[in-house]
Amino acid sequence: MSRRRRGLLVRTVLFLFALNAASFAVYFLLHPPNRSPTDADPFLPLETLAIPHKNARSTLKSWPSLPSFLPWRPSPAPPLRSCEACFGHGFSRTVDVLRSSPSDGNGRGWFRCHYSETLRSSVCEGGRIRMDPARILMSDGGEGLEAVIGRGEEEELPRYLPGAFQIDSEVGDGGGDGKRAIDEGFLEKYLPHGAVQYHTMRALMESMRVVGHEQLDCTQWIEEPTVLVTRFEYANLFHTVTDWYSAYVSSRVTGLPNRPNLVFVDGHCKTPLEETWEALFSSVRYAKNFSSPVCFRHAVFAPLGYETALFKGLTEHISCRGTSASDVREDPDVQKTARLSEFGEMLIAAFGILEEKDFPRKSSVGHNVLFVRREDYLAHPRHSGKVESRLSNEQEVFDAIKAWAANQERCKINVVNGLFAHMHVKEQLQAIREASVVVGAHGAGLTHLVVARQNTRVLEIISSMYRRPHFALISEWKGLEYHAINLAGSYARPAMVMDELSSIMSGLGC
């Protein structure tokens, strides 16, 4: 072949290559690739998914910037029984059940647990996990309260048939009733029953079966990380706060870059507290609201609220005093913690009120004295609508505080009527944040002290029938100044309350 003909052939090949590349460019310009439908809705059918999940743009809420935030480091492990082990990242022992790369969303399933020797519980997580709502025996959940009056609690708690949860694994035998994913020995060691009579999260793990890659039959995929929670005593604020805290800690321990979706694996009806779940997390859904099996790319299983330090500290001594994050950084001490302050800031940030700069009030403007009241309200299907009085002359005490405040000359004192049962959660949190002093009889409403500012004073009026440490402990773990009046019965002499309140206000310059 002559040199001239070879040159012509090379130029022809290059021309055809360039023409082909240009054709591809024009095609993709006119036919852009489909974006994942999960950009708009994390709960979508599998058949609508157009591209691998790792390329999808996240629609999850971002974590807010929290003044008290400290890094959640699993290593080095915090000392046993230290404040960080109790309230922070004490889940420092990671044990693999099924190994695979969590970053490989299209690979095999994986499962591991992060165990806390201090709390004797685990935060577990896994990938390519299937949940079959038909194999979870419980009420649907999410109904209006009035529609389910009289429904028994046993109907609302989940009971799992084998294969209610499945995980994709090379060792799967293809049957939902086949080999257990997690054996009894592992559960005894890392998810012990403890004092919980029916440990729902452990029962969930017992139901989990391994299946082969081709048997992981899903009609829906949830592409973004999702925390699974089972709630007990879901209408009680104190117990709900322990659940909020467990879900928050689980999200941090597993290093989730954004606020996850959340699924209730229980059949409870709706309550006013649900608005806080919706504010804290990116989305909230009930397990039984899925009409068919659903698969999770990344599922996180939160410990029960009973397994948090907030609850265990009621019966086990946890020697921690709350302080600022800067104090923890500058002068580390195993008996200091800023974790409850971090969590409290997370709660108020979820409602968009973290940036309020005008509180606490200066004495020239006035001090808010918040009186947290106990009111009648219908809490759950088995509730009569009547709350048990723990301060028999509550109205008399409130009226006395108002009269006393009106006669103060050194400071303006604003007495706030804390009718929490008829206030939105955001309003309750604002009232706590704005208070210089929080006064109340022992009751779940005082659990909101987790969001109080560090210089807030607390006065708890305790009847002889309710000498419980809940709010003294929260005050200690938050670093709040705490005072108590212990009654011989349930009647409080107004003069006694005024004397204690006057002493507290004098410490504020009043």
Side-chain angles (χ1 to χ4, degrees):
M1 182 183 294
S2 68
R3 180 178 299 176
R4 182 178 179 182
R5 291 185 66 186
R6 281 199 303 271
L8 181 61
L9 180 61
V10 169
R11 285 195 294 274
T12 301
V13 171
L14 291 175
F15 172 76
L16 291 174
F17 178 80
L19 180 63
N20 189 51
S23 299
F24 272 110
V26 171
Y27 175 83
F28 285 114
L29 182 65
L30 297 176
H31 302 82
N34 291 327
R35 300 301 297 171
S36 170
T38 57
D39 290 351
D41 185 349
F43 303 106
L44 283 175
L46 174 63
E47 55 267 25
T48 65
L49 299 180
I51 59 175
H53 76 286
K54 60 186 177 183
N55 294 328
R57 176 174 56 84
S58 173
T59 58
L60 300 182
K61 298 176 186 176
S62 60
W63 292 111
S65 178
L66 306 176
S68 295
F69 179 82
L70 293 169
W72 289 72
R73 297 191 182 98
S75 180
L80 191 67
R81 305 298 299 175
S82 66
C83 292
E84 182 62 11
C86 292
F87 292 101
H89 203 331
F91 299 88
S92 51
R93 182 176 181 184
T94 299
V95 185
D96 287 303
V97 178
L98 292 174
R99 288 180 176 272
S100 186
S101 171
S103 62
D104 181 9
N106 295 315
R108 296 294 187 182
W110 57 277
F111 196 89
R112 64 190 178 194
C113 290
H114 309 278
Y115 178 67
S116 166
E117 188 176 350
T118 297
L119 298 176
R120 302 178 299 284
S121 68
S122 293
V123 174
C124 298
E125 59 177 331
R128 295 184 62 82
I129 292 176
R130 178 183 187 264
M131 179 183 74
D132 185 352
R135 288 177 172 260
I136 305 175
L137 307 181
M138 62 184 180
S139 48
D140 289 344
E143 310 93 345
L145 173 56
E146 294 77 11
V148 294
I149 294 296
R151 185 168 67 188
E153 185 177 17
E154 67 281 357
E155 298 178 59
E156 299 179 346
L157 293 177
R159 300 282 173 176
Y160 300 98
L161 298 178
F165 284 80
Q166 296 176 335
I167 186 166
D168 174 17
S169 172
E170 294 177 355
V171 299
D173 60 6
D177 298 317
K179 181 179 178 182
R180 281 179 56 169
I182 306 169
D183 64 40
E184 201 67 24
F186 183 95
L187 294 175
E188 282 295 321
K189 191 168 185 179
Y190 299 112
L191 275 90
H193 282 286
V196 182
Q197 186 174 7
Y198 175 51
H199 198 301
T200 50
M201 197 54 69
R202 177 175 169 139
L204 184 157
M205 303 293 178
E206 290 172 345
S207 81
M208 193 176 293
R209 299 295 187 265
V210 291
V211 297
H213 197 62
E214 64 282 358
Q215 276 81 38
L216 196 71
D217 179 25
C218 301
T219 55
Q220 300 181 64
W221 276 92
I222 297 181
E223 301 291 345
E224 301 283 9
T226 302
V227 174
L228 278 66
V229 172
T230 299
R231 302 164 295 164
F232 288 80
E233 303 185 62
Y234 65 102
N236 177 281
L237 179 61
F238 175 78
H239 290 285
T240 298
V241 168
T242 67
D243 288 328
W244 291 340
Y245 194 70
S246 180
Y248 174 72
V249 169
S250 298
S251 303
R252 293 300 197 181
V253 165
T254 52
L256 301 185
N258 296 294
R259 288 189 262 171
N261 300 309
L262 188 132
V263 170
F264 292 136
V265 191
D266 59 52
H268 300 310
C269 67
K270 280 185 176 292
T271 73
L273 295 174
E274 200 158 316
E275 66 177 303
T276 308
W277 286 106
E278 293 167 349
L280 280 170
F281 298 94
S282 290
S283 67
V284 175
R285 191 161 179 176
Y286 286 79
K288 285 292 238 181
N289 291 175
F290 291 99
S291 59
S292 56
V294 59
C295 286
F296 302 95
R297 296 286 184 192
H298 186 183
V300 176
F301 301 87
L304 304 180
Y306 295 139
E307 298 175 302
T308 63
L310 284 169
F311 185 82
K312 289 197 168 188
L314 301 177
T315 54
E316 301 176 17
H317 180 62
I318 296 178
S319 179
C320 291
R321 67 182 186 278
T323 187
S324 66
S326 59
D327 185 33
V328 173
R329 281 191 295 265
E330 294 165 10
D331 185 22
D333 186 323
V334 295
Q335 293 188 318
K336 292 180 182 177
T337 184
R339 291 299 186 193
L340 276 193
S341 292
E342 175 187 330
F343 172 63
E345 290 164 2
M346 181 66 221
L347 285 173
I348 58 175
F351 284 101
I353 54 177
L354 180 60
E355 299 306 317
E356 298 289 345
K357 301 296 185 184
D358 55 338
F359 302 109
R361 298 171 185 269
K362 296 181 180 179
S363 57
S364 59
V365 177
H367 288 284
N368 280 8
V369 173
L370 171 65
F371 194 97
V372 179
R373 308 291 296 273
R374 286 181 60 80
E375 304 173 86
D376 290 342
Y377 71 102
L378 191 60
H380 55 76
R382 297 159 295 283
H383 192 241
S384 67
K386 297 288 184 181
V387 299
E388 189 173 358
S389 174
R390 297 175 185 181
L391 179 58
S392 58
N393 63 326
E394 181 181 282
Q395 187 63 47
E396 181 186 11
V397 172
F398 176 72
D399 292 340
I401 292 176
K402 285 178 64 179
W404 166 83
N407 292 322
Q408 298 305 301
E409 297 180 353
R410 294 189 62 183
C411 296
K412 179 182 179 183
I413 298 176
N414 313 295
V415 180
V416 180
N417 195 6
L419 300 171
F420 280 7
H422 296 89
M423 296 165 63
H424 289 293
V425 176
K426 180 177 180 178
E427 296 171 324
Q428 298 173 35
L429 299 179
Q430 283 180 311
I432 293 284
R433 290 290 285 181
E434 296 172 10
S436 297
V437 182
V438 177
V439 182
H442 180 92
L446 291 178
T447 314
H448 277 322
L449 289 171
V450 295
V451 307
R453 294 180 184 271
Q454 207 163 16
N455 57 354
T456 301
R457 274 70 165 172
V458 180
L459 174 57
E460 183 179 7
I461 304 172
I462 308 172
S463 78
S464 58
M465 296 167 285
Y466 290 95
R467 300 205 192 284
R468 298 170 182 171
H470 297 61
F471 310 114
L473 290 171
I474 289 176
S475 298
E476 179 184 349
W477 299 332
K478 274 279 295 183
L480 308 178
E481 183 181 306
Y482 175 83
H483 303 261
I485 297 175
N486 289 293
L487 306 177
S490 63
Y491 179 86
R493 288 189 300 105
M496 178 173 58
V497 177
M498 297 310 102
D499 286 346
E500 189 66 32
L501 192 53
S502 296
S503 175
I504 292 170
M505 294 307 298
S506 67
L508 293 170
C510 297

